[in-house]
Amino acid sequence: MKVIIIGGDAAGMSAAMEIVRNAPGIEIVVLERGGIYSYGQCGLPYILDGRIENTEELIARDVAIFRHKYGIDARKFHEVTSIDTTAQIVRGKHLRTCERFEFQYDKLLIASGATPTIPEWRSTDFIGIHTIKTIPQMEYLMQDLKNVQHVTVIGGGYIGLEVVETLQERGLAVRLIHRGKQLMKKLHPTLAEKVFVEAKTKGIEVLLEEEVLGFEGDDRVEQVITKSGSFATDLVIVATGITPNTQFAVGLAKLENGAIIVNEQMETSFKNIYAAGDCATHFHRLKFEEDYLPLGTTANKQGRIAGLNIAGKKAIFNGIVGTTVLKFFDLQIGMTGLSEKEAEDLKIDFDCYDWQANHIAGYYPKARPIDLRVFVDKKTRKLLGLQAVGEAGVDKRIDVFATALYNEMTFEELVDLDLAYAPPFNGVWDAVQQVAKRYGEN
């Protein structure tokens, strides 16, 4: 059997390795349009301030290892342009030589990831306007930053905030432009305000409700033009979102944004074609529907499931609950489950509970407060979501709550969890248990 994999990063190579382990006789060809395999995209922002010394540290396995140790035909600069689903043929071109290629497959995995988007603004082709998703993009940015004093970041989501922090830590003046009313749009406004204050406290110029129209300059960008004015800058980083790389997958069922719809075995709407990672949908256990929340953790899990199924080992992707965490200067920002807007859109009648607790025993040195907001189904008392912001301990509470969500626990059952306790690590009642203890039905 011959398996073609489109994409050589998280989902694609997770699948490839499962096939190697479980069905060593299968021929595997990987078609990667870039020149680098299997690297940690989420670590890219931390190259900017030297926390990670160089991009090579982000590479988990060099392409040579896949070729020589595991026998995978791992190809570079091979861009797929079309799929003949009837003849089961993948076609494309080599980006360096422009030579056309085609491969017949018995099974096909689309793990082509996603690409950063730049809205249809004026004059986006100036030198000095960047996006960050790949190692070459980061290396180009690092070269361009050498004589820069001021950077404008457009977009107040995860990538935007991480880039703002690391640019400021690098010693640059930073402006953050965001078109929404608050940073981190899924956060409740009271928690988002803490993120805004943290940015201002650290010297970041933050412009909210600012609509970008385009750019001005002379070959190189010099001004960001918005509806309210013109803002001088030396360099721009756009972090306004991504779009799935699925334009070549004509005919497959997709969401409106282009994400390929898959079932629990990562199968698409066409026989013998699978999809996984940032180019595919992600089943949401609380929404009971296909969603799109592209994360490295999910890409690796979906790739593993696809690889096992291709290898003949039945496996099921059990879905996500929407768990994320972010470091922003001295704050940790975490979310899992549904936001209030998502719960409202699903027409769920829910209760909200706000609570502040220390991340460790209050009397122990350096105890720091965490602000939590918990969402609970009013009728069933099942947990719906948690948002938390604090200087420490947010990740632990988010992970505990995500596990509880996955197992469909009720609010009151949180009190019974047997969580680790010692003053340097926790209070006798964990922060999430304190909320349930205070507001739970007795």
Side-chain angles (χ1 to χ4, degrees):
M1 184 167 75
K2 186 171 186 176
V3 174
I4 303 297
I5 298 175
I6 304 172
D9 201 7
M13 300 322 292
S14 291
M17 292 307 298
E18 290 298 337
I19 297 169
V20 168
R21 294 185 191 105
N22 291 280
I26 291 179
E27 180 185 358
I28 305 170
V29 179
V30 181
L31 306 174
E32 166 57 44
R33 73 175 179 179
I36 301 170
Y37 271 63
S38 196
Y39 64 95
Q41 293 181 11
C42 297
L44 286 170
Y46 302 104
I47 298 290
L48 291 170
D49 63 355
R51 240 172 287 189
I52 298 173
E53 290 187 9
N54 55 67
T55 54
E56 290 183 4
E57 292 188 29
L58 299 178
I59 300 174
R61 287 191 178 105
D62 185 78
V63 64
I65 294 175
F66 291 116
R67 290 172 177 168
H68 304 307
K69 184 175 180 179
Y70 299 109
I72 297 169
D73 185 357
R75 307 203 177 198
K76 300 190 293 185
F77 308 115
H78 278 59
E79 182 177 38
V80 172
T81 55
S82 67
I83 303 170
D84 184 333
T85 55
T86 302
Q88 297 196 167
I89 294 175
V90 168
R91 296 187 175 92
K93 66 177 179 178
H94 192 290
L95 294 178
R96 295 292 174 88
T97 66
C98 293
E99 183 180 353
R100 308 300 300 187
F101 65 78
E102 65 176 46
F103 292 93
Q104 192 156 18
Y105 63 85
D106 296 302
K107 301 282 186 182
L108 171 66
L109 170 62
I110 302 172
S112 48
T115 298
T117 57
I118 297 181
E120 294 182 357
W121 298 324
R122 296 195 304 266
S123 305
T124 58
D125 56 348
F126 280 122
I127 296 169
I129 298 176
H130 295 260
T131 58
I132 301 174
K133 190 72 163 65
T134 67
I135 284 179
Q137 286 174 335
M138 176 53 69
E139 290 176 341
Y140 174 46
L141 172 60
M142 291 296 286
Q143 287 293 320
D144 205 18
L145 281 170
K146 287 184 176 178
N147 299 310
V148 163
Q149 300 298 317
H150 185 281
V151 179
T152 297
V153 178
I154 304 175
Y158 288 89
I159 301 301
L161 292 182
E162 287 174 345
V163 168
V164 163
E165 176 188 339
T166 51
L167 289 170
Q168 199 264 8
E169 293 289 339
R170 185 184 172 94
L172 300 174
V174 184
R175 175 189 300 118
L176 174 59
I177 296 178
H178 185 59
R179 68 178 181 178
K181 295 181 179 180
Q182 64 175 56
L183 302 175
M184 302 289 292
K185 66 179 182 180
K186 283 192 176 183
L187 274 181
H188 186 268
T190 58
L191 297 177
E193 178 65 17
K194 295 179 182 297
V195 181
F196 176 80
V197 170
E198 179 72 3
K200 299 290 284 185
T201 300
K202 294 301 190 292
I204 307 301
E205 179 188 0
V206 182
L207 305 178
L208 297 177
E209 297 184 85
E210 196 71 66
E211 184 178 346
V212 173
L213 300 178
F215 306 95
E216 290 182 354
D218 184 9
D219 290 331
R220 184 177 185 86
V221 65
E222 297 173 2
Q223 302 280 337
V224 180
I225 310 302
T226 74
K227 273 195 171 181
S228 65
S230 177
F231 300 90
T233 195
D234 301 322
L235 186 142
V236 173
I237 298 175
V238 181
T240 54
I242 60 175
T243 187
N245 295 322
T246 61
Q247 62 279 3
F248 57 85
V250 177
L252 275 68
K254 302 175 186 177
L255 295 183
E256 189 175 343
N257 72 342
I260 299 169
I261 297 173
V262 293
N263 64 15
E264 60 187 8
Q265 293 178 281
M266 301 293 102
E267 296 169 320
T268 70
S269 56
F270 274 77
K271 185 179 180 181
N272 296 325
I273 301 180
Y274 299 74
D278 290 2
C279 65
T281 57
H282 315 120
F283 177 73
H284 200 297
R285 292 175 63 88
L286 295 163
K287 295 181 181 179
F288 297 102
E289 63 185 26
E290 296 301 325
D291 206 345
Y292 186 68
L293 289 108
L295 292 170
T297 50
T298 305
N300 278 281
K301 291 170 190 172
Q302 287 194 326
R304 174 179 175 270
I305 297 298
L308 287 169
N309 282 298
I310 290 170
K313 308 283 186 180
K314 186 175 180 179
I316 289 174
F317 179 65
N318 287 308
I320 61 171
V321 293
T323 305
T324 58
V325 69
L326 167 72
K327 178 189 177 300
F328 183 59
F329 293 110
D330 294 331
L331 286 185
Q332 298 175 2
I333 307 159
M335 289 179 275
T336 188
L338 304 177
S339 67
E340 285 176 82
K341 184 180 184 306
E342 288 171 322
E344 288 168 355
D345 289 345
L346 292 167
K347 296 181 171 30
I348 299 173
D349 191 11
F350 62 95
D351 289 322
C352 294
Y353 303 112
D354 292 307
W355 190 254
Q356 187 179 84
N358 290 314
H359 84 292
I360 56 178
Y363 55 79
Y364 194 83
K366 298 183 180 180
R368 295 291 183 266
I370 305 173
D371 288 283
L372 303 101
R373 189 169 178 84
V374 177
F375 313 123
V376 178
D377 188 300
K378 186 172 289 188
K379 182 179 179 181
T380 67
R381 304 301 291 168
K382 283 189 176 181
L383 300 172
L384 294 176
L386 169 66
Q387 299 185 347
V389 176
E391 293 181 28
V394 168
D395 55 339
K396 173 178 179 176
R397 277 71 197 190
I398 291 295
D399 282 345
V400 167
F401 207 93
T403 304
L405 280 173
Y406 183 90
N407 288 282
E408 301 181 4
M409 290 178 61
T410 66
F411 185 47
E412 284 69 25
E413 286 174 335
L414 288 175
V415 177
D416 297 323
L417 291 176
D418 184 16
L419 303 178
Y421 162 66
F425 302 106
N426 211 342
V428 290
W429 291 101
D430 183 82
V432 297
Q433 292 178 312
Q434 289 181 37
V435 190
K437 189 166 172 284
R438 170 65 177 81
Y439 293 108
E441 296 178 350
N442 298 317

